[in-house]
Amino acid sequence: FDSFRTVVDETTKKVSYAPYEANATDFPLKEVKARVHWLLNEREGKTAWADVKAGAAEVEIGDEGVQFIKVTSLTQFGVDWIGVISIPWESVMKELNDTKFRTLLLGMLIVGGI
């Protein structure tokens, strides 16, 4: 991965090199773009990739609703990696709600039988 990108000034046609900084517009999938936008612009204010810290949060992202998000960092082979794991609140809560009523009913039957 080349950490620099070529920049061409349209008026002078002068070529220069600038450090590559990925941002939300660099990602084609809207789900990934939304998470990168949250990570770089909303989590701790506007920040750069190098300043992203590991942590966890429960946030609302766009029209996707509330998400459980875990941010991890790893340095491997001299490269700093940032991992973002996102789980929709609805998928977690659906399973909990489904089992909640079954457990409640089972508990009432046990208590009623005693």
Side-chain angles (χ1 to χ4, degrees):
F1 175 72
D2 184 5
S3 61
F4 289 89
R5 62 186 168 107
T6 305
V7 178
V8 179
D9 185 335
E10 294 299 322
T11 57
T12 63
K13 302 296 182 197
K14 181 179 177 184
V15 176
S16 62
Y17 298 95
Y20 180 77
E21 294 181 7
N23 59 38
T25 60
D26 294 328
F27 300 94
L29 295 175
K30 74 173 190 150
E31 292 85 2
V32 175
K33 186 182 294 190
R35 281 147 187 79
V36 170
H37 177 76
W38 170 79
L39 187 64
L40 296 180
N41 297 306
E42 297 174 11
R43 181 178 182 215
E44 297 173 349
K46 195 153 182 73
T47 186
W49 283 106
D51 300 326
V52 172
K53 294 177 181 66
E58 188 178 308
V59 297
E60 187 162 344
I61 295 183
D63 59 352
E64 298 177 55
V66 177
Q67 306 280 317
F68 291 114
I69 296 187
K70 172 92 171 152
V71 178
T72 59
S73 59
L74 169 73
T75 300
Q76 188 84 22
F77 307 113
V79 178
D80 294 327
W81 296 88
I82 296 173
V84 179
I85 301 167
S86 173
I87 302 171
W89 168 274
E90 288 180 11
S91 69
V92 173
M93 294 310 293
K94 181 182 181 318
E95 188 173 327
L96 290 175
N97 285 331
D98 289 348
T99 59
K100 173 177 65 175
F101 293 114
R102 187 177 64 210
T103 305
L104 183 62
L105 180 61
L106 185 60
M108 289 172 46
L109 289 173
I110 291 172
V111 169
I114 293 179

